[in-house]
Amino acid sequence: MRLPLLAATAAILLLSGCNEAPRTPQVSVENAWVRLPAVKGRPGAAYFTLGNEGAEDRLVSITSAKAERVELHDSVMKDGMMAMGPLEEATIASGEKLTFAPGGKHAMLFGIAPDVEAGGAIPLTFTFEAAPAVTVEAKLVAAGGEEPGHEGH
């Protein structure tokens, strides 16, 4: 009698784990780049894609040794005009990607170091609610320059 009960219990435990979402976030940062401002001293904008192969997580902040501060923003149409404002939430759902691109979500870099030049790269550190921080080297593009990967298109 005990063997069937043990087998049934083991089967239930195995099946119950099948529908569970992954327990820990596994966030990645891809294709990070920064469009530098046309006028030195003005803010630049960072774009990137966040991927998540684990449990839902949230981007809390971005920092850089080459910028005084970084703010998350979103561009939206309001009364027929494009408006920019603070991004209220940047949640990366399990198994999804969240893209920050021109004309939409982006990060504004204020107080960019004077030695930063197009063609180089700067470090961006992404801090999440649960996942470990991720640091990437973001390519630097001149104002009006082509988005990396789209040159000549």
Side-chain angles (χ1 to χ4, degrees):
M1 284 306 253
R2 293 185 111 197
L3 192 55
L5 181 60
L6 281 173
T9 302
I12 290 169
L13 288 173
L14 283 172
L15 290 174
S16 69
C18 289
N19 292 330
E20 278 186 37
R23 295 176 193 264
T24 57
Q26 297 173 11
V27 181
S28 62
V29 180
E30 304 164 359
N31 307 317
W33 62 284
V34 173
R35 185 176 311 276
L36 294 171
V39 177
K40 286 255 189 209
R42 302 286 303 180
Y47 307 103
F48 46 88
T49 299
L50 302 174
N52 186 4
E53 295 302 318
E56 180 177 283
D57 203 356
R58 188 174 69 86
L59 176 62
V60 174
S61 67
I62 301 172
T63 56
S64 177
K66 294 289 185 175
E68 290 175 9
R69 77 178 192 279
V70 181
E71 296 178 3
L72 299 176
H73 287 194
D74 198 0
S75 297
V76 293
M77 280 298 241
K78 186 174 182 178
D79 299 325
M81 301 207 29
M82 191 61 90
M84 182 179 69
L87 181 61
E88 297 299 323
E89 187 169 312
T91 299
I92 314 109
S94 177
E96 298 288 336
K97 291 188 181 281
L98 179 61
T99 300
F100 285 63
K105 294 174 182 57
H106 58 280
M108 296 295 296
L109 283 71
F110 295 88
I112 297 173
D115 63 339
V116 169
E117 293 183 4
I122 62 170
L124 295 178
T125 299
F126 295 76
T127 303
F128 303 95
E129 201 165 67
V134 175
T135 300
V136 299
E137 289 292 316
K139 295 175 186 174
L140 295 166
V141 176
E146 291 290 323
E147 174 182 343
H150 289 90
E151 296 87 352
H153 293 153

Short mmCIF file of all heavy atoms in Angstrom, two decimals, residues 70-137:
data_model
loop_
_atom_site.label_atom_id
_atom_site.label_comp_id
_atom_site.label_asym_id
_atom_site.label_seq_id
_atom_site.Cartn_x
_atom_site.Cartn_y
_atom_site.Cartn_z
N VAL A 70 21.49 59.34 -14.22
CA VAL A 70 20.74 58.72 -15.31
C VAL A 70 19.29 58.61 -14.88
O VAL A 70 19.01 58.13 -13.78
CB VAL A 70 21.31 57.32 -15.67
CG1 VAL A 70 20.53 56.71 -16.82
CG2 VAL A 70 22.80 57.40 -15.98
N GLU A 71 18.37 59.07 -15.73
CA GLU A 71 16.94 59.00 -15.43
C GLU A 71 16.24 58.18 -16.50
O GLU A 71 16.55 58.28 -17.69
CB GLU A 71 16.32 60.41 -15.42
CG GLU A 71 16.85 61.31 -14.35
CD GLU A 71 16.24 62.71 -14.40
OE1 GLU A 71 15.35 62.96 -15.26
OE2 GLU A 71 16.67 63.56 -13.60
N LEU A 72 15.27 57.37 -16.07
CA LEU A 72 14.46 56.59 -17.00
C LEU A 72 13.28 57.43 -17.46
O LEU A 72 12.57 58.01 -16.64
CB LEU A 72 13.96 55.31 -16.33
CG LEU A 72 15.05 54.35 -15.84
CD1 LEU A 72 14.43 53.18 -15.10
CD2 LEU A 72 15.90 53.88 -16.99
N HIS A 73 13.09 57.50 -18.78
CA HIS A 73 12.01 58.31 -19.37
C HIS A 73 11.23 57.51 -20.39
O HIS A 73 11.68 56.47 -20.86
CB HIS A 73 12.59 59.54 -20.07
CG HIS A 73 13.10 60.59 -19.13
ND1 HIS A 73 13.39 61.86 -19.54
CD2 HIS A 73 13.38 60.57 -17.81
CE1 HIS A 73 13.82 62.58 -18.51
NE2 HIS A 73 13.83 61.80 -17.45
N ASP A 74 10.07 58.05 -20.76
CA ASP A 74 9.25 57.46 -21.81
C ASP A 74 8.73 58.59 -22.68
O ASP A 74 8.38 59.66 -22.16
CB ASP A 74 8.09 56.67 -21.20
CG ASP A 74 7.46 55.70 -22.18
OD1 ASP A 74 7.92 55.61 -23.34
OD2 ASP A 74 6.51 55.00 -21.78
N SER A 75 8.68 58.36 -23.97
CA SER A 75 8.10 59.32 -24.91
C SER A 75 6.74 58.80 -25.32
O SER A 75 6.61 57.63 -25.70
CB SER A 75 8.99 59.47 -26.16
OG SER A 75 10.25 59.98 -25.79
N VAL A 76 5.73 59.66 -25.22
CA VAL A 76 4.37 59.25 -25.57
C VAL A 76 3.68 60.38 -26.34
O VAL A 76 4.03 61.54 -26.20
CB VAL A 76 3.53 58.91 -24.31
CG1 VAL A 76 4.06 57.67 -23.62
CG2 VAL A 76 3.49 60.07 -23.34
N MET A 77 2.71 60.00 -27.16
CA MET A 77 1.91 61.00 -27.87
C MET A 77 0.85 61.54 -26.92
O MET A 77 0.14 60.77 -26.28
CB MET A 77 1.22 60.37 -29.08
CG MET A 77 2.13 60.23 -30.27
SD MET A 77 2.72 61.84 -30.81
CE MET A 77 2.06 61.87 -32.43
N LYS A 78 0.79 62.86 -26.81
CA LYS A 78 -0.21 63.50 -25.95
C LYS A 78 -0.75 64.70 -26.70
O LYS A 78 0.00 65.60 -27.07
CB LYS A 78 0.46 63.92 -24.63
CG LYS A 78 -0.51 64.47 -23.62
CD LYS A 78 0.17 64.73 -22.29
CE LYS A 78 -0.84 65.23 -21.30
NZ LYS A 78 -0.25 65.46 -19.99
N ASP A 79 -2.05 64.68 -26.96
CA ASP A 79 -2.71 65.75 -27.69
C ASP A 79 -2.03 66.02 -29.04
O ASP A 79 -1.83 67.16 -29.43
CB ASP A 79 -2.76 67.04 -26.86
CG ASP A 79 -3.53 66.86 -25.56
OD1 ASP A 79 -4.52 66.10 -25.57
OD2 ASP A 79 -3.14 67.48 -24.55
N GLY A 80 -1.66 64.93 -29.73
CA GLY A 80 -1.06 65.05 -31.05
C GLY A 80 0.40 65.47 -31.06
O GLY A 80 0.98 65.71 -32.11
N MET A 81 1.00 65.58 -29.88
CA MET A 81 2.40 65.99 -29.79
C MET A 81 3.18 64.97 -28.98
O MET A 81 2.64 64.37 -28.05
CB MET A 81 2.52 67.37 -29.14
CG MET A 81 1.77 68.41 -29.90
SD MET A 81 2.35 70.10 -29.78
CE MET A 81 4.04 70.06 -29.52
N MET A 82 4.45 64.78 -29.33
CA MET A 82 5.30 63.87 -28.59
C MET A 82 5.72 64.56 -27.29
O MET A 82 6.18 65.70 -27.30
CB MET A 82 6.53 63.50 -29.41
CG MET A 82 7.33 62.36 -28.84
SD MET A 82 6.42 60.81 -28.69
CE MET A 82 6.76 60.09 -30.26
N ALA A 83 5.53 63.85 -26.17
CA ALA A 83 5.90 64.39 -24.87
C ALA A 83 6.78 63.37 -24.16
O ALA A 83 6.64 62.16 -24.35
CB ALA A 83 4.66 64.67 -24.04
N MET A 84 7.71 63.87 -23.35
CA MET A 84 8.60 63.00 -22.60
C MET A 84 8.38 63.21 -21.12
O MET A 84 8.20 64.34 -20.67
CB MET A 84 10.05 63.32 -22.96
CG MET A 84 11.05 62.43 -22.26
SD MET A 84 12.76 62.82 -22.71
CE MET A 84 12.98 64.41 -21.96
N GLY A 85 8.40 62.11 -20.37
CA GLY A 85 8.25 62.21 -18.93
C GLY A 85 8.91 61.05 -18.24
O GLY A 85 9.39 60.11 -18.90
N PRO A 86 8.94 61.07 -16.92
CA PRO A 86 9.56 59.97 -16.18
C PRO A 86 8.86 58.65 -16.46
O PRO A 86 7.64 58.61 -16.63
CB PRO A 86 9.37 60.37 -14.71
CG PRO A 86 8.95 61.79 -14.71
CD PRO A 86 8.37 62.09 -16.06
N LEU A 87 9.64 57.60 -16.54
CA LEU A 87 9.09 56.27 -16.74
C LEU A 87 8.65 55.75 -15.38
O LEU A 87 9.45 55.66 -14.45
CB LEU A 87 10.15 55.35 -17.35
CG LEU A 87 9.72 53.92 -17.64
CD1 LEU A 87 8.58 53.88 -18.64
CD2 LEU A 87 10.90 53.12 -18.16
N GLU A 88 7.36 55.47 -15.26
CA GLU A 88 6.80 55.05 -13.98
C GLU A 88 7.28 53.67 -13.55
O GLU A 88 7.53 53.43 -12.39
CB GLU A 88 5.28 55.07 -14.04
CG GLU A 88 4.69 56.44 -14.28
CD GLU A 88 5.01 57.44 -13.20
OE1 GLU A 88 5.06 57.06 -12.02
OE2 GLU A 88 5.24 58.62 -13.54
N GLU A 89 7.40 52.75 -14.52
CA GLU A 89 7.77 51.38 -14.17
C GLU A 89 8.45 50.72 -15.36
O GLU A 89 8.07 50.94 -16.50
CB GLU A 89 6.53 50.59 -13.78
CG GLU A 89 6.85 49.23 -13.25
CD GLU A 89 5.64 48.56 -12.62
OE1 GLU A 89 4.95 49.22 -11.82
OE2 GLU A 89 5.41 47.40 -12.94
N ALA A 90 9.46 49.91 -15.07
CA ALA A 90 10.17 49.17 -16.12
C ALA A 90 10.24 47.71 -15.69
O ALA A 90 11.28 47.23 -15.25
CB ALA A 90 11.55 49.76 -16.35
N THR A 91 9.11 47.03 -15.80
CA THR A 91 9.02 45.63 -15.41
C THR A 91 9.36 44.74 -16.60
O THR A 91 8.88 44.97 -17.71
CB THR A 91 7.61 45.29 -14.89
OG1 THR A 91 7.36 46.11 -13.74
CG2 THR A 91 7.47 43.83 -14.52
N ILE A 92 10.20 43.74 -16.34
CA ILE A 92 10.56 42.78 -17.38
C ILE A 92 9.89 41.46 -17.01
O ILE A 92 10.26 40.81 -16.05
CB ILE A 92 12.09 42.58 -17.48
CG1 ILE A 92 12.81 43.92 -17.47
CG2 ILE A 92 12.45 41.80 -18.74
CD1 ILE A 92 13.56 44.18 -16.23
N ALA A 93 8.85 41.11 -17.77
CA ALA A 93 8.10 39.88 -17.49
C ALA A 93 8.96 38.66 -17.77
O ALA A 93 9.91 38.70 -18.55
CB ALA A 93 6.83 39.85 -18.35
N SER A 94 8.60 37.57 -17.14
CA SER A 94 9.29 36.30 -17.34
C SER A 94 9.22 35.88 -18.79
O SER A 94 8.15 35.89 -19.40
CB SER A 94 8.65 35.24 -16.44
OG SER A 94 9.26 33.99 -16.65
N GLY A 95 10.38 35.56 -19.37
CA GLY A 95 10.43 35.10 -20.75
C GLY A 95 10.23 36.18 -21.78
O GLY A 95 10.08 35.90 -22.96
N GLU A 96 10.25 37.45 -21.38
CA GLU A 96 9.98 38.57 -22.30
C GLU A 96 11.21 39.45 -22.47
O GLU A 96 12.21 39.31 -21.76
CB GLU A 96 8.83 39.41 -21.77
CG GLU A 96 7.53 38.68 -21.64
CD GLU A 96 6.87 38.37 -22.97
OE1 GLU A 96 7.14 39.06 -23.97
OE2 GLU A 96 6.09 37.41 -23.00
N LYS A 97 11.09 40.39 -23.41
CA LYS A 97 12.10 41.42 -23.62
C LYS A 97 11.43 42.78 -23.45
O LYS A 97 10.26 42.93 -23.75
CB LYS A 97 12.71 41.31 -25.02
CG LYS A 97 13.57 40.07 -25.20
CD LYS A 97 14.29 40.11 -26.52
CE LYS A 97 15.14 38.88 -26.72
NZ LYS A 97 16.38 38.90 -26.02
N LEU A 98 12.18 43.74 -22.96
CA LEU A 98 11.70 45.11 -22.81
C LEU A 98 12.70 46.00 -23.54
O LEU A 98 13.88 46.04 -23.18
CB LEU A 98 11.60 45.50 -21.33
CG LEU A 98 11.12 46.90 -21.01
CD1 LEU A 98 9.71 47.14 -21.54
CD2 LEU A 98 11.17 47.16 -19.51
N THR A 99 12.24 46.68 -24.59
CA THR A 99 13.13 47.45 -25.44
C THR A 99 13.02 48.94 -25.15
O THR A 99 11.92 49.48 -25.07
CB THR A 99 12.82 47.18 -26.93
OG1 THR A 99 13.00 45.78 -27.17
CG2 THR A 99 13.73 47.96 -27.83
N PHE A 100 14.17 49.57 -25.00
CA PHE A 100 14.29 51.01 -24.86
C PHE A 100 14.87 51.50 -26.18
O PHE A 100 16.00 51.16 -26.52
CB PHE A 100 15.22 51.37 -23.70
CG PHE A 100 14.61 51.17 -22.33
CD1 PHE A 100 14.24 49.91 -21.89
CD2 PHE A 100 14.42 52.25 -21.49
CE1 PHE A 100 13.68 49.73 -20.64
CE2 PHE A 100 13.85 52.09 -20.23
CZ PHE A 100 13.48 50.82 -19.81
N ALA A 101 14.09 52.26 -26.97
CA ALA A 101 14.48 52.65 -28.32
C ALA A 101 14.06 54.09 -28.61
O ALA A 101 13.17 54.62 -27.95
CB ALA A 101 13.83 51.70 -29.33
N PRO A 102 14.70 54.72 -29.62
CA PRO A 102 14.30 56.09 -29.98
C PRO A 102 12.79 56.17 -30.22
O PRO A 102 12.19 55.29 -30.83
CB PRO A 102 15.09 56.34 -31.28
CG PRO A 102 16.30 55.46 -31.13
CD PRO A 102 15.79 54.21 -30.45
N GLY A 103 12.19 57.24 -29.68
CA GLY A 103 10.75 57.45 -29.83
C GLY A 103 9.92 56.75 -28.77
O GLY A 103 8.70 56.84 -28.77
N GLY A 104 10.56 56.06 -27.83
CA GLY A 104 9.85 55.34 -26.78
C GLY A 104 10.59 55.44 -25.46
O GLY A 104 11.10 56.51 -25.10
N LYS A 105 10.68 54.32 -24.77
CA LYS A 105 11.41 54.29 -23.49
C LYS A 105 12.90 54.53 -23.76
O LYS A 105 13.45 54.06 -24.75
CB LYS A 105 11.22 52.93 -22.82
CG LYS A 105 9.81 52.65 -22.38
CD LYS A 105 9.71 51.21 -21.87
CE LYS A 105 8.31 50.85 -21.45
NZ LYS A 105 7.31 51.01 -22.49
N HIS A 106 13.54 55.27 -22.85
CA HIS A 106 14.96 55.55 -22.97
C HIS A 106 15.51 56.00 -21.62
O HIS A 106 14.74 56.24 -20.69
CB HIS A 106 15.22 56.63 -24.04
CG HIS A 106 14.50 57.91 -23.76
ND1 HIS A 106 13.17 58.09 -24.05
CD2 HIS A 106 14.93 59.05 -23.19
CE1 HIS A 106 12.80 59.32 -23.68
NE2 HIS A 106 13.86 59.91 -23.15
N ALA A 107 16.81 56.08 -21.52
CA ALA A 107 17.46 56.59 -20.31
C ALA A 107 18.19 57.88 -20.69
O ALA A 107 18.91 57.92 -21.69
CB ALA A 107 18.43 55.57 -19.76
N MET A 108 17.98 58.93 -19.93
CA MET A 108 18.65 60.20 -20.17
C MET A 108 19.89 60.28 -19.29
O MET A 108 19.80 60.06 -18.07
CB MET A 108 17.73 61.38 -19.84
CG MET A 108 16.48 61.47 -20.71
SD MET A 108 16.80 61.79 -22.45
CE MET A 108 17.54 63.41 -22.37
N LEU A 109 21.03 60.57 -19.91
CA LEU A 109 22.30 60.70 -19.19
C LEU A 109 22.62 62.18 -19.04
O LEU A 109 22.82 62.88 -20.04
CB LEU A 109 23.43 60.00 -19.95
CG LEU A 109 23.47 58.48 -19.86
CD1 LEU A 109 22.34 57.84 -20.64
CD2 LEU A 109 24.79 57.97 -20.36
N PHE A 110 22.68 62.65 -17.82
CA PHE A 110 22.96 64.05 -17.51
C PHE A 110 24.39 64.18 -16.99
O PHE A 110 24.87 63.31 -16.27
CB PHE A 110 21.98 64.58 -16.45
CG PHE A 110 20.56 64.62 -16.92
CD1 PHE A 110 19.73 63.52 -16.78
CD2 PHE A 110 20.05 65.76 -17.51
CE1 PHE A 110 18.42 63.55 -17.21
CE2 PHE A 110 18.73 65.81 -17.95
CZ PHE A 110 17.92 64.70 -17.79
N GLY A 111 25.05 65.28 -17.33
CA GLY A 111 26.40 65.52 -16.85
C GLY A 111 27.40 64.52 -17.41
O GLY A 111 28.23 63.98 -16.67
N ILE A 112 27.34 64.29 -18.72
CA ILE A 112 28.26 63.34 -19.35
C ILE A 112 29.68 63.91 -19.28
O ILE A 112 29.91 65.10 -19.54
CB ILE A 112 27.85 63.09 -20.82
CG1 ILE A 112 26.46 62.43 -20.85
CG2 ILE A 112 28.88 62.23 -21.53
CD1 ILE A 112 25.88 62.27 -22.24
N ALA A 113 30.63 63.07 -18.94
CA ALA A 113 32.03 63.47 -18.80
C ALA A 113 32.53 64.11 -20.10
O ALA A 113 32.18 63.65 -21.19
CB ALA A 113 32.89 62.27 -18.44
N PRO A 114 33.36 65.16 -20.00
CA PRO A 114 33.83 65.87 -21.19
C PRO A 114 34.73 65.04 -22.11
O PRO A 114 34.86 65.34 -23.29
CB PRO A 114 34.58 67.09 -20.63
CG PRO A 114 34.80 66.82 -19.20
CD PRO A 114 33.80 65.80 -18.77
N ASP A 115 35.33 63.98 -21.59
CA ASP A 115 36.22 63.16 -22.42
C ASP A 115 35.49 62.08 -23.22
O ASP A 115 36.10 61.33 -23.98
CB ASP A 115 37.30 62.50 -21.54
CG ASP A 115 36.74 61.53 -20.52
OD1 ASP A 115 35.53 61.62 -20.18
OD2 ASP A 115 37.50 60.67 -20.03
N VAL A 116 34.17 62.02 -23.10
CA VAL A 116 33.38 61.01 -23.82
C VAL A 116 33.20 61.45 -25.28
O VAL A 116 32.81 62.59 -25.54
CB VAL A 116 32.00 60.83 -23.13
CG1 VAL A 116 31.06 60.02 -23.98
CG2 VAL A 116 32.18 60.20 -21.76
N GLU A 117 33.53 60.55 -26.22
CA GLU A 117 33.45 60.89 -27.64
C GLU A 117 32.81 59.78 -28.44
O GLU A 117 32.95 58.59 -28.11
CB GLU A 117 34.85 61.15 -28.20
CG GLU A 117 35.52 62.38 -27.62
CD GLU A 117 36.88 62.65 -28.25
OE1 GLU A 117 37.27 61.92 -29.19
OE2 GLU A 117 37.54 63.59 -27.79
N ALA A 118 32.14 60.16 -29.53
CA ALA A 118 31.53 59.18 -30.44
C ALA A 118 32.60 58.20 -30.92
O ALA A 118 33.75 58.56 -31.11
CB ALA A 118 30.90 59.90 -31.62
N GLY A 119 32.18 56.96 -31.10
CA GLY A 119 33.09 55.91 -31.52
C GLY A 119 33.65 55.11 -30.36
O GLY A 119 34.15 54.01 -30.54
N GLY A 120 33.55 55.65 -29.16
CA GLY A 120 34.02 54.97 -27.96
C GLY A 120 32.88 54.21 -27.29
O GLY A 120 31.88 53.87 -27.93
N ALA A 121 33.05 53.97 -26.01
CA ALA A 121 32.02 53.29 -25.21
C ALA A 121 32.10 53.78 -23.78
O ALA A 121 33.14 54.26 -23.34
CB ALA A 121 32.22 51.78 -25.27
N ILE A 122 30.97 53.67 -23.08
CA ILE A 122 30.95 54.00 -21.65
C ILE A 122 30.26 52.86 -20.90
O ILE A 122 29.39 52.18 -21.44
CB ILE A 122 30.26 55.34 -21.34
CG1 ILE A 122 28.78 55.32 -21.75
CG2 ILE A 122 30.98 56.50 -21.97
CD1 ILE A 122 27.99 56.52 -21.25
N PRO A 123 30.63 52.68 -19.63
CA PRO A 123 29.98 51.64 -18.84
C PRO A 123 28.62 52.11 -18.35
O PRO A 123 28.46 53.26 -17.94
CB PRO A 123 30.95 51.44 -17.67
CG PRO A 123 31.61 52.77 -17.50
CD PRO A 123 31.71 53.35 -18.89
N LEU A 124 27.64 51.23 -18.44
CA LEU A 124 26.32 51.45 -17.85
C LEU A 124 26.05 50.28 -16.91
O LEU A 124 26.17 49.12 -17.32
CB LEU A 124 25.23 51.51 -18.92
CG LEU A 124 25.27 52.64 -19.93
CD1 LEU A 124 24.14 52.49 -20.94
CD2 LEU A 124 25.20 54.00 -19.24
N THR A 125 25.69 50.59 -15.67
CA THR A 125 25.36 49.55 -14.70
C THR A 125 23.86 49.58 -14.43
O THR A 125 23.33 50.61 -14.00
CB THR A 125 26.15 49.73 -13.39
OG1 THR A 125 27.55 49.64 -13.70
CG2 THR A 125 25.79 48.65 -12.38
N PHE A 126 23.21 48.46 -14.70
CA PHE A 126 21.77 48.30 -14.54
C PHE A 126 21.51 47.60 -13.22
O PHE A 126 22.02 46.50 -12.99
CB PHE A 126 21.21 47.46 -15.70
CG PHE A 126 21.34 48.13 -17.04
CD1 PHE A 126 22.56 48.20 -17.69
CD2 PHE A 126 20.23 48.71 -17.64
CE1 PHE A 126 22.68 48.82 -18.93
CE2 PHE A 126 20.35 49.33 -18.87
CZ PHE A 126 21.57 49.39 -19.52
N THR A 127 20.69 48.23 -12.37
CA THR A 127 20.33 47.65 -11.07
C THR A 127 18.87 47.23 -11.11
O THR A 127 18.01 48.01 -11.53
CB THR A 127 20.57 48.67 -9.94
OG1 THR A 127 21.95 49.07 -9.98
CG2 THR A 127 20.25 48.06 -8.59
N PHE A 128 18.62 46.00 -10.68
CA PHE A 128 17.28 45.43 -10.71
C PHE A 128 16.78 45.18 -9.29
O PHE A 128 17.55 45.17 -8.34
CB PHE A 128 17.30 44.11 -11.50
CG PHE A 128 17.81 44.30 -12.90
CD1 PHE A 128 19.14 44.09 -13.21
CD2 PHE A 128 16.96 44.75 -13.90
CE1 PHE A 128 19.62 44.29 -14.49
CE2 PHE A 128 17.43 44.96 -15.18
CZ PHE A 128 18.76 44.73 -15.48
N GLU A 129 15.49 44.99 -9.16
CA GLU A 129 14.88 44.73 -7.86
C GLU A 129 15.41 43.44 -7.25
O GLU A 129 15.69 43.37 -6.07
CB GLU A 129 13.36 44.67 -8.03
CG GLU A 129 12.60 44.91 -6.76
CD GLU A 129 11.14 45.20 -7.08
OE1 GLU A 129 10.44 44.28 -7.56
OE2 GLU A 129 10.71 46.33 -6.83
N ALA A 130 15.54 42.38 -8.06
CA ALA A 130 15.95 41.08 -7.53
C ALA A 130 17.20 40.51 -8.19
O ALA A 130 18.04 39.92 -7.51
CB ALA A 130 14.80 40.07 -7.65
N ALA A 131 17.33 40.65 -9.49
CA ALA A 131 18.48 40.08 -10.20
C ALA A 131 19.76 40.83 -9.85
O ALA A 131 19.71 42.00 -9.47
CB ALA A 131 18.24 40.14 -11.71
N PRO A 132 20.90 40.18 -10.01
CA PRO A 132 22.17 40.89 -9.78
C PRO A 132 22.34 42.02 -10.79
O PRO A 132 21.83 41.97 -11.91
CB PRO A 132 23.23 39.81 -10.02
CG PRO A 132 22.52 38.50 -10.03
CD PRO A 132 21.09 38.78 -10.36
N ALA A 133 23.08 43.06 -10.40
CA ALA A 133 23.37 44.18 -11.29
C ALA A 133 24.14 43.68 -12.51
O ALA A 133 24.91 42.72 -12.42
CB ALA A 133 24.16 45.26 -10.56
N VAL A 134 23.93 44.35 -13.65
CA VAL A 134 24.61 44.00 -14.89
C VAL A 134 25.30 45.26 -15.41
O VAL A 134 24.67 46.31 -15.52
CB VAL A 134 23.60 43.50 -15.96
CG1 VAL A 134 24.30 43.25 -17.29
CG2 VAL A 134 22.89 42.24 -15.48
N THR A 135 26.60 45.16 -15.72
CA THR A 135 27.34 46.27 -16.31
C THR A 135 27.71 45.92 -17.74
O THR A 135 28.21 44.82 -17.99
CB THR A 135 28.60 46.60 -15.48
OG1 THR A 135 28.21 46.95 -14.15
CG2 THR A 135 29.38 47.76 -16.10
N VAL A 136 27.44 46.85 -18.66
CA VAL A 136 27.78 46.66 -20.07
C VAL A 136 28.52 47.89 -20.58
O VAL A 136 28.44 48.95 -19.98
CB VAL A 136 26.51 46.41 -20.94
CG1 VAL A 136 25.77 45.15 -20.50
CG2 VAL A 136 25.59 47.61 -20.91
N GLU A 137 29.22 47.72 -21.68
CA GLU A 137 29.86 48.84 -22.37
C GLU A 137 28.92 49.28 -23.49
O GLU A 137 28.65 48.51 -24.42
CB GLU A 137 31.21 48.41 -22.95
CG GLU A 137 32.28 48.18 -21.89
CD GLU A 137 32.71 49.45 -21.19
OE1 GLU A 137 32.91 50.49 -21.87
OE2 GLU A 137 32.83 49.42 -19.95
#
